[in-house]
Amino acid sequence: MIKLKSENYQLDLHAAQQIKDKVTEETCKTNVNPQLIFKQSYTGYTVKTFVGNWTPNGFWLSKYRKQLFQLRPDVIAKFRFEQEADKIHLSLRYSIGFSSVFTGLVIILLFSTAFLSLGATAYLVVLVAMTALYVLLAFVELGRLEQAVKDKIL
């Protein structure tokens, strides 16, 4: 995964439990039902906002409603809880998955190849423009995921 942004929070035990409860309410667990990630990501099959996975010390959120259907980049929010004396440290890291970058690269290369007949310069211009468009789209998705996390979980 390619790191895009990170945030850190100090929480008390009650606030950490509230975040965990909100995640349970808003997230389908993919480690329980893996095919749900595809149903939700393509069709919006579930009413829950996120698809995610739980780990022993935190969880990550990924694909939300109709993300794959709309060909949006897969931005991931990873929550990691660390117990300290009387506080809990929450680190929230946003990143983009390699599979999303690879898929975007394949789409960019396939689309740009159509302009190869116009010459190498036209091909490179289209390749750079499509790459810039993908990067812009990834940062738009980062903003949307951040807003969804703040609205629904934090």
Side-chain angles (χ1 to χ4, degrees), residues 20 29 31 53-60 78-83 88:
K20 290 177 183 178
K29 295 170 81 169
N31 51 348
N53 201 348
W54 273 247
T55 62
N57 57 356
F59 51 89
W60 55 262
K78 183 176 182 181
F79 292 74
R80 182 176 173 93
F81 292 97
E82 293 177 6
Q83 180 75 39
I88 293 179

Side-chain angles (χ1 to χ4, degrees), residues 64-129:
Y64 52 105
R65 304 192 81 198
K66 298 185 181 182
Q67 183 167 12
L68 292 176
F69 179 73
Q70 297 170 351
L71 295 175
R72 295 182 283 165
D74 182 19
V75 178
I76 300 164
K78 183 176 182 181
F79 292 74
R80 182 176 173 93
F81 292 97
E82 293 177 6
Q83 180 75 39
E84 294 177 358
D86 60 342
K87 297 275 183 192
I88 293 179
H89 179 76
L90 169 64
S91 61
L92 176 55
R93 188 176 90 184
Y94 295 97
S95 52
I96 189 167
F98 282 124
S99 62
S100 181
V101 172
F102 180 73
T103 303
L105 179 64
V106 168
I107 291 170
I108 289 169
L109 287 174
L110 288 175
F111 182 78
S112 299
T113 306
F115 292 89
L116 195 56
S117 63
L118 298 175
T121 305
Y123 173 72
L124 289 175
V125 167
V126 170
L127 189 67
V128 168

